[in-house]
Amino acid sequence: MRRLFLVSFFAAPSLFAGITSSVAQDQVVPTQPMSAAAVNEADLGARFADPQRVYIVAPEGPTSDDAAPEVAATPDPAVARLQILLDQQGASPGVIDGFDGENLRKAVMGAQAMAGMPVTGIVDDALLALVETGQPAIDSYVIAATDLEDVTGPTPDDYAEKAVLGFLGYGSVQEALAERFHMDVDLLTALNPNAVFEPGESISVAVTGPDRTGEVQRIEADKALRQVRAYDAQGTLLVTYPATIGSEGTPSPSGSYVVEVVASMPNYTYNPDINFQQGENTEVLTIPPGPNGPVGSMWIALSKPTYGIHGTPEPSKIDKTSSYGCVRLTNWDAQELGSMVSQGVVVDFL
């Protein structure tokens, strides 16, 4: 009964009718500049009291060199706090960046559903009582030498150039740390404006908590809501993730499939005759593993050939750009999901 209710509710796209895809004209300006203290002390009840609140969404880059720049947007400490607290509940908001929008609302819905609460997508007193556990949302972290191990410098865009490398690691220490703590690089630097990001330095980071655990028996890839949901054998919702699921030109499949392979840090076989052509590359290429590889740090292969659930080198673009038919998650969400699935798990495309 509970699972049927969740499916019917999550399928309703009207919940997001009031959410815009660009910076709001009449923005809500954060009352405090971004800092660890501002995030930890943010009053979520006051910030989210109005269900019809104006959304502050992350600005998109200009479509051309001649395009006018968008209105500057400032990340909101209260939004960052809510994103972190939802992440701790297993209701992923995607990248924690301090900006409002669909991914945040879907995470609210996910937290409500997992707690057996009415699924409204509204930040009300019951939701705040669930997520406000008394723990700080931002805490200090001392950078270790091991945090630099997977930093290999900028990754080339061209697949042929990628193919001759040994490992596609992070472009910078900031990128590596931001991904470790589920954060956007810009938010990490905003919280640490004077940091040089060297080993031994103490910085402020999001407190995301441990990975979720459990044995996933069924996954829903909701193409309308652009969300992945994972259930155990009893039908209990374990986790929810915002996702990029196909595109108009290369849609994801419909129907049910099963997981065939779960591979952490996979190679990627580029075959333009089967998938798509990237740039001028017309030959089959083997792209090395790494978090900045085409499928990120996790590949969950499905019984439909060439399709899978995987990570991404660009977490900030989850649910904001299209894919070539696969289901794309942030690297950390894909890794968490991969740790809970095994061969034979059913994946339903809705």
Side-chain angles (χ1 to χ4, degrees), residues 22 88 178 189 211 265 288 313 347:
S22 60
Q88 293 174 359
T189 55
D211 284 350
M265 288 296 178
V347 180

Side-chain angles (χ1 to χ4, degrees), residues 95-271:
V95 66
I96 296 166
D97 59 5
F99 290 105
D100 213 334
E102 290 189 19
N103 285 348
L104 180 61
R105 182 69 69 91
K106 285 185 286 190
V108 170
M109 293 167 60
Q112 290 170 329
M114 285 186 282
M117 299 163 54
V119 184
T120 64
I122 296 173
V123 182
D124 55 18
D125 289 343
L127 187 280
L128 293 180
L130 173 69
V131 301
E132 288 284 15
T133 61
Q135 299 297 316
I138 301 292
D139 208 344
S140 60
Y141 173 76
V142 177
I143 300 174
T146 53
D147 291 319
L148 283 64
E149 290 179 350
D150 289 340
V151 177
T152 56
T155 302
D157 293 327
D158 186 79
Y159 276 20
E161 295 179 26
K162 292 182 196 289
V164 299
L165 300 176
F167 184 77
L168 301 178
Y170 298 108
S172 65
V173 179
Q174 292 94 317
E175 182 186 355
L177 290 166
E179 183 151 312
R180 174 172 179 172
F181 296 102
H182 306 182
M183 302 169 68
D184 183 73
V185 173
D186 288 344
L187 180 61
L188 177 68
T189 55
L191 286 168
N192 301 280
N194 300 316
V196 293
F197 296 99
E198 294 180 346
E201 183 180 19
S202 180
I203 59 172
S204 296
V205 298
V207 181
T208 56
D211 284 350
R212 304 285 283 186
T213 59
E215 294 186 11
V216 172
Q217 292 296 314
R218 187 174 69 89
I219 295 171
E220 291 176 344
D222 191 327
K223 293 186 283 188
L225 195 56
R226 301 181 300 282
Q227 185 184 57
V228 165
R229 302 182 290 273
Y231 301 84
D232 67 12
Q234 289 72 47
T236 301
L237 182 61
L238 298 176
V239 289
T240 66
Y241 306 118
T244 298
I245 308 178
S247 65
E248 291 185 5
T250 54
S252 292
S254 298
S256 297
Y257 303 88
V258 298
V259 171
E260 291 196 335
V261 175
V262 179
S264 180
M265 288 296 178
N267 291 326
Y268 175 75
T269 301
Y270 164 74
N271 188 338

